[in-house]
Amino acid sequence: MKKLIVLTTLLLASPAVAQDSAGGVVRVPKPVTGEQVYGAVCQACHMADAKGATGAGTIPALASNPKLTGAAYPIMVVAGGKGAMPGFSGMLSNAQMAEVVTYVRTHFGNAYAKPVTEADVAKIAKPPAAASH
């Protein structure tokens, strides 16, 4: 889990570097839109169709999910984590969290049209505490 968090942090903090078919280096921009953030971060567990998964654990479905009615709950979960899901405060910007929460709340059979703003996220998301050694 720690490796996943470190890898996700690196992916989201700066443009990624990839190799093209000719062996050259290509910079991949960091995800900005809700769809891009979902694809880069959320989709691996919640699936492309947002229907979740069951295996070693249960990944909740985001599709047609009434828990997304109010924006505060998904902001709290994305920022602070819940269960096995890590919190993304400090890895995602408030803008990225606002975009992905809005995206999930308006796609996958969800019709909660009011957009989430950076200010909404800032009210709920707390920066991660500095690790003490």
Side-chain angles (χ1 to χ4, degrees):
M1 180 65 113
K2 193 170 190 176
K3 288 181 182 179
L4 173 65
I5 293 171
V6 170
L7 179 60
T8 302
T9 302
L10 291 173
L11 172 67
L12 298 172
S14 61
V17 177
Q19 190 172 17
D20 66 17
S21 60
V25 175
V26 177
R27 290 208 176 274
V28 179
K30 72 178 182 177
V32 176
T33 68
E35 183 176 18
Q36 291 168 342
V37 174
Y38 185 85
V41 179
C42 313
Q43 181 174 301
C45 296
H46 292 283
M47 303 294 127
D49 61 5
K51 291 184 179 175
T54 302
T58 299
I59 307 297
L62 301 174
S64 303
N65 189 329
K67 289 183 177 181
L68 304 178
T69 302
Y73 178 75
I75 293 169
M76 181 186 68
V77 173
V78 170
K82 183 172 182 189
M85 182 178 138
F88 289 96
S89 269
M91 289 183 261
L92 291 173
S93 68
N94 287 353
Q96 288 171 310
M97 287 190 276
E99 287 290 330
V100 76
V101 171
T102 297
Y103 176 73
V104 170
R105 291 181 74 234
T106 57
H107 290 78
F108 311 113
N110 298 310
Y112 311 117
K114 186 176 181 223
V116 174
T117 67
E118 285 183 66
D120 297 331
V121 174
K123 290 176 193 171
I124 296 171
K126 304 290 183 237
S132 59
H133 296 283

